[in-house]
Amino acid sequence: MNTITAAITAVGGYVPDFVLSNKVLETMVDTNDEWITTRTGIKERRILKDADKGTSYLAIKAAQDLIAKANIDPLEIDMVIMATATPDMMVAATGVHVATEIGATNAFAYDLQAACSSFLYGMSTAAAYVQSGRYKKVLLIGADKMSSIVDYTDRSTCIIFGDGAGAVLFEPNYEGLGLQDEYLRSDGVGRDFLKIPAGGSLIPASEETIKNRQHNIMQDGKTVFKYAVTNMADASELILQRNNLTKEEVSWLVPHQANRRIIDATAGRLDLDESKVLVNIERYGNTTSGTLPLVLADFEHKFKKGDNVIFAAFGGGFTWGSIYLKWAYDKK
């Protein structure tokens, strides 16, 4: 085949050492392990405690893990896409710093922000660059230091989020493997239901915004849950229908790890056996842009060449979608 498809050829991941368990959260806010586990499926999450380290640190670690495992020369990387909702700082793109620090000095880099759908959208972008024939090695990193924007007095959000990062390498494939189809959507109706109100151009930082905790993530949990369940499931079901895939032909579902009940609802809509649904939310919580690649890093040993893998995500804005990818290699 002469047609170029874009395939994932390597993965890497990183989570910080510090574990914030439900038991510890019980001492911080009015909640308990049973309540958190029943409603979210989360038992613990990892937190980057170092005050002088940001999202870039997580991203660098994940990228270095990929580079070491795949034994690739960073100088061969053509571009770096940094999917994140928590950049190190405004204006100076975090991905640029990450690319330099990992030695990818021949690459150009930039950030991509679509909340929890950032990595999913990044997959589409990375694949398009490769399929164009213009670039050979595109490194896509999903990373977030969610602890930097969480209010640990707000029990509705602090129980959900954790810190972590994952990375994948997209390269040309001539066997028809890699990204097959995508269904990506967005709807501005979600602007007020999941957000950080202050810190942008609309409400710049001030003494008042800090006092009012407007720089922390806020969400209307019930509304977000309703939209997430419906749209993740709808997008995934549509991808199967459009590609004439039966539930038997689906090898794995890689869902965004926001809430176990959302994951179960998406799998239920597709009528997939539980053994095909990859879940690590109990250990990491919602790492936002890091969830999808961390699932790949944790379960890489399960994937076989030719496996049909369905990705699904939902994020603030609202943003959501599903991607169908054929896995391109067996882990050595």
Side-chain angles (χ1 to χ4, degrees):
M1 294 180 65
N2 293 321
T3 303
I4 300 174
T5 51
I8 291 175
T9 59
V11 304
Y14 175 78
V15 291
D17 293 331
F18 182 82
V19 176
L20 179 59
S21 67
N22 290 349
K23 288 296 183 183
V24 174
L25 279 173
E26 288 179 4
T27 68
M28 298 167 61
V29 290
D30 182 17
T31 190
N32 61 72
D33 173 66
E34 182 184 5
W35 192 93
I36 297 171
T37 304
T38 301
R39 286 161 178 78
T40 69
I42 302 168
K43 282 290 188 182
E44 57 189 38
R45 61 292 288 150
R46 301 298 185 94
I47 304 296
L48 181 58
K49 298 288 283 186
D50 309 59
D52 62 339
K53 292 183 173 66
T55 295
S56 62
Y57 177 81
L58 303 169
I60 290 165
K61 286 289 190 179
Q64 289 173 335
D65 181 52
L66 181 151
I67 289 166
K69 290 196 301 187
N71 192 29
I72 66 169
D73 183 351
L75 294 174
E76 294 179 357
I77 297 172
D78 298 308
M79 65 178 298
V80 176
I81 301 174
M82 178 74 195
T84 185
T86 56
D88 283 3
M89 61 182 77
M90 300 291 282
V91 181
T94 302
V96 175
H97 173 64
V98 171
T100 298
E101 290 299 304
I102 64 174
T105 53
N106 289 324
F108 74 98
Y110 61 85
D111 296 354
L112 189 157
Q113 207 281 70
C116 291
S117 301
S118 296
F119 188 84
L120 189 79
Y121 282 19
M123 290 177 67
S124 171
T125 307
Y129 277 116
V130 170
Q131 289 167 350
S132 74
R134 192 170 295 174
Y135 303 106
K136 302 292 186 185
K137 285 182 167 61
V138 178
L139 179 65
L140 170 62
I141 306 169
D144 273 303
K145 184 182 178 181
M146 294 302 294
S147 62
S148 67
I149 58 172
V150 166
D151 177 0
Y152 283 96
T153 66
D154 176 10
R155 68 174 184 174
S156 68
T157 55
C158 73
I159 65 171
I160 298 169
F161 297 101
D163 303 338
V168 301
L169 185 68
F170 273 93
E171 294 187 272
N173 183 275
Y174 300 93
E175 301 176 89
L177 303 172
L179 197 146
Q180 305 293 307
D181 194 15
E182 61 182 46
Y183 179 77
L184 306 177
R185 288 294 182 270
S186 61
D187 188 342
V189 70
R191 182 179 172 93
D192 291 327
F193 299 120
L194 180 53
K195 62 183 179 180
I196 297 176
S201 61
L202 185 63
I203 307 176
S206 67
E207 185 177 346
E208 185 178 1
T209 62
I210 294 172
K211 183 176 64 177
N212 293 334
R213 299 180 184 271
Q214 289 176 276
H215 297 271
N216 297 121
I217 191 166
M218 301 176 182
Q219 73 167 350
D220 177 338
K222 289 183 179 179
T223 301
V224 172
F225 180 86
K226 180 182 70 174
Y227 274 93
V229 167
T230 301
N231 288 311
M232 270 182 62
D234 284 353
S236 302
E237 187 175 36
L238 186 146
I239 278 287
L240 262 63
Q241 292 174 354
R242 203 155 72 178
N243 291 276
N244 297 314
L245 285 173
T246 65
K247 64 179 182 179
E248 291 78 18
E249 292 171 319
V250 174
S251 306
W252 308 104
L253 173 66
V254 179
H256 170 50
Q257 311 285 303
N259 183 301
R260 182 62 197 247
R261 291 188 295 170
I262 296 174
I263 294 171
D264 290 344
T266 302
R269 176 76 72 83
L270 303 182
D271 196 22
L272 288 180
D273 188 271
E274 187 177 346
S275 63
K276 293 184 174 185
V277 184
L278 301 181
V279 180
N280 59 12
I281 191 174
E282 72 282 356
R283 288 184 289 135
Y284 304 142
N286 181 356
T287 57
T288 304
S289 307
T291 64
L292 296 182
L294 275 173
V295 169
L296 296 183
D298 278 359
F299 295 100
E300 183 187 16
H301 63 283
K302 288 181 172 288
F303 297 120
K304 303 298 181 187
K305 185 175 180 179
D307 278 357
N308 292 316
V309 186
I310 304 298
F311 295 80
F314 182 89
F318 291 127
T319 61
W320 72 92
S322 181
I323 283 178
Y324 165 34
L325 178 139
K326 278 187 173 291
W327 199 252
Y329 66 95
D330 297 320
K331 190 175 186 299
K332 297 177 182 178

